[in-house]
Amino acid sequence: MATKEMKQFTREEVAKHNSPDDLWVIVDAKVFNLSRFKDMHPGGVSVLLDEEIPGQDVTEVFYSLHRHEILQKPQFQRLQIGTITGEESVITSQARGQLSAIPYAEPTWQTQGYHSPYYKDSHRRLAKAVREFVDDYLYEDAQLHEEDGKRPSPHIIQMMADTNLHAMRLGPGKHLQGKTLMGGIVTPEEFDYFHELIITQELVRMMARGYGDGLNGGTVIGLPAVLNFGNAELKARVADEVLSGKKFMSLAISEAFAGSDVQGLKTSAKKTEDGKFWIINGTKKWITNGHFSDYFTVGCKTDSGFTVIFVERGEGIDTKPIKTSYSPSAGTAYITFDNVKVPIENTLGAEGAGLFVILSNFNHERWTMCCGSARTQRYIIEECLKWTNQRKAFGKPLNSQAVIRSKLAAMIARAESVQSWLENITYQMNNMNYKEQAQYLAGPIGLLKMHATRCAQDTARDAVQIFGGRGITKTGMGRMIEHYYRTVTFDSVLGGAEDVLGDLGVRQAIAKMPKNARL
C-alpha cells in the first residue's frame, strides 16, 4: 500500500480552520482534519468545539485523554492530512521488541549501565527474541481473546510449539534434549531457570491475565508431575503430544471442599478387584485450562493415602466453565469424575506418596507465579510514571505532588525487592537438584510468593488512586490499571493462599531451629 503523501502547513494556516465545519487540530506536529469526524467522536462533539480546540495545538489535551496507541489505529491515521512546517514529532511508540527507557520499567540486568552476576549472553539473546515474538505475534491475539473470552488461537499454540516455548516454560531438564530452542539461540545443555524466568516475564507483558493462563498454563503446572514421576511410556507419549501443541492438560487438585489443604481432598480412587485399574469419583474446581484439557493430573484419596494419578479425558469426565474475575480464555473449569476407569500404570509416584509429588510440583508453580508478579508490577510502575508525568492537576504535573511521589517510591521499592529475592532463589534452583529444591526451597518460595502477591495488591491499589476514575474503567488511559486491579488477586490465591504459604515458610524455619538456641 502506498504511503499517503503529507502536506506541510504553518501553524498560522492551521489556525484558520477553526469552525465546526472546518475543524483542524495539531497533535505532536501532526495536522488532523476532524471536520467529518467530530460527529462520530466517542466523547461527544462538544469536546471538539471547545474554544481551545479548533485550529489549535491540542497535544497536551489529547494526551490527557487518550493513549498514544489511538493515533496508530488506521481509522485515525486516515484523519491526518499533514505536518507542521519545520517541526518533527517528538512522541513515539516503543518499537516492537525494544526495551523501555522508562526508569524501573525493566529489571536492573536489562537497564543500561547496570550489571548482574546472574545473566549471560544467552539470557540476553533469549530475552530479545522472546520479546520480539510476544510483540509481533502474541500481543494482539492476547488483547482480542482476553476480551472475547475465546481460548488462544491455534496458530499461536503451534508457533510456540515450533519454537519449543512450551517445552522451555517447564524449565531445564531431559525434556529439552534434542530440541532446537527458539531457533538455536540457547542450547538445551545451557538452558537454566534464569532462561525460564525470562520467558515467563516476557509473556506476562501481554497484560492479559486470563489469556496468559489459557496459553497452556495448565501444562506448565500439570506436566512436570508426569515428567518427574510417570513411567517411561507415559513420559514419552504425553510430553510429545502436549509440547507439540496437539494436546492440552491441566493440574486438577483444588476442590470445593479443600484448596490449600490437599490432605482434605475428597476425590477418591479405588482399585478394581484385579488391581489393574483405578476407579475415580469426585469433583475438582477452579481448574485452569480444565474446560479444554485432554489430560489431567489428578489428586485423589486412596486406601494408601493421598495419591496423584494421570487421567485422560473420556467416559465419565465432564467439564463446565466457571466464570471468574478474569477472561474465560483461561478455560477455568469445574470437573466431575464419575466412575472414571484409569490404568494403574498411570499412577504418578508411589501410592500414598502424592503429597511429595504435589509439593515438589508446587515449588515450580509458585516460583513461576512469582516471576510473573514481579514483572507485571514493573509494567504498572511504567504506566504510573508515564501518566503522572503527562497528567496535569492544579496546573502542575501530577508527579509534582509529594503524595504521588510517595506512592511511586513504594511501588518501586516493592518491585525491586521482589525481583532481587526472586533472582536469589532462582540461583539456588540452578544449583540444586529436584530433590534438594523440594527439601530446601518450599518454605522460601512460599514466603516469596506471599511477599510478591501482597506487594502486587498494594501496588494495584496505589495505581488506581493515581489514575482515579480511569483506573476503574476498562477502556482508555487506565485500562491496564483496571485489568491489573481486577485480576491481581489471582496470584494470591492460585497455588496456595498467602497466609497458608507464609505459615509454611515459618513452620519450616521453626523445624530447623537448633535445639540449643537461646537468647
Side-chain angles (χ1 to χ4, degrees), residues 185-237:
I185 280 179
V186 57
T187 66
E189 291 73 25
E190 64 181 339
F191 189 90
D192 62 17
Y193 286 107
F194 280 105
H195 290 102
E196 185 191 356
L197 179 152
I198 288 167
I199 292 170
T200 302
Q201 295 202 326
E202 289 299 324
L203 288 177
V204 300
R205 288 179 54 256
M206 297 181 293
M207 291 302 289
R209 188 64 175 80
Y211 177 94
D213 278 0
L215 203 64
N216 275 20
T219 293
V220 176
I221 61 178
L223 186 56
V226 176
L227 296 178
N228 290 302
F229 298 98
N231 61 57
E233 184 277 330
L234 206 60
K235 290 179 186 179
R237 174 171 63 87

Side-chain angles (χ1 to χ4, degrees), residues 168-362:
M168 288 187 281
R169 291 178 70 194
L170 301 181
K174 294 180 180 179
H175 63 284
L176 296 180
Q177 291 179 358
K179 297 184 183 298
T180 301
L181 309 181
M182 210 65 193
I185 280 179
V186 57
T187 66
E189 291 73 25
E190 64 181 339
F191 189 90
D192 62 17
Y193 286 107
F194 280 105
H195 290 102
E196 185 191 356
L197 179 152
I198 288 167
I199 292 170
T200 302
Q201 295 202 326
E202 289 299 324
L203 288 177
V204 300
R205 288 179 54 256
M206 297 181 293
M207 291 302 289
R209 188 64 175 80
Y211 177 94
D213 278 0
L215 203 64
N216 275 20
T219 293
V220 176
I221 61 178
L223 186 56
V226 176
L227 296 178
N228 290 302
F229 298 98
N231 61 57
E233 184 277 330
L234 206 60
K235 290 179 186 179
R237 174 171 63 87
V238 175
D240 177 68
E241 292 175 331
V242 172
L243 298 181
S244 65
K246 297 174 183 176
K247 299 284 187 179
F248 300 87
M249 74 180 301
S250 54
L251 178 67
I253 301 297
S254 295
E255 299 177 1
F257 307 102
S260 300
D261 176 21
V262 295
Q263 293 283 36
L265 301 178
K266 293 189 176 183
T267 296
S268 65
K270 301 288 185 181
K271 286 184 181 178
T272 55
E273 290 186 5
D274 59 10
K276 294 182 179 181
F277 296 92
W278 293 110
I279 303 298
I280 300 178
N281 285 282
T283 62
K284 297 293 178 180
K285 195 171 185 180
W286 305 293
I287 306 306
T288 303
N289 298 179
H291 190 47
F292 53 76
S293 283
D294 303 286
Y295 300 141
F296 307 89
T297 298
V298 185
C300 303
K301 291 183 72 172
T302 66
D303 291 338
S304 302
F306 182 64
T307 303
V308 180
I309 303 170
F310 173 79
V311 182
E312 301 186 41
R313 184 185 284 269
E315 186 177 355
I317 296 179
D318 183 50
T319 59
K320 298 176 182 177
I322 296 176
K323 291 184 178 181
T324 67
S325 301
Y326 68 9
S327 175
S329 61
T332 308
Y334 181 81
I335 307 175
T336 58
F337 298 91
D338 186 11
N339 290 322
V340 177
K341 194 174 183 179
V342 181
I344 204 75
E345 291 79 15
N346 284 19
T347 306
L348 302 178
E351 293 180 31
L355 191 60
F356 177 74
V357 174
I358 290 303
L359 289 181
S360 301
N361 199 62
F362 272 154

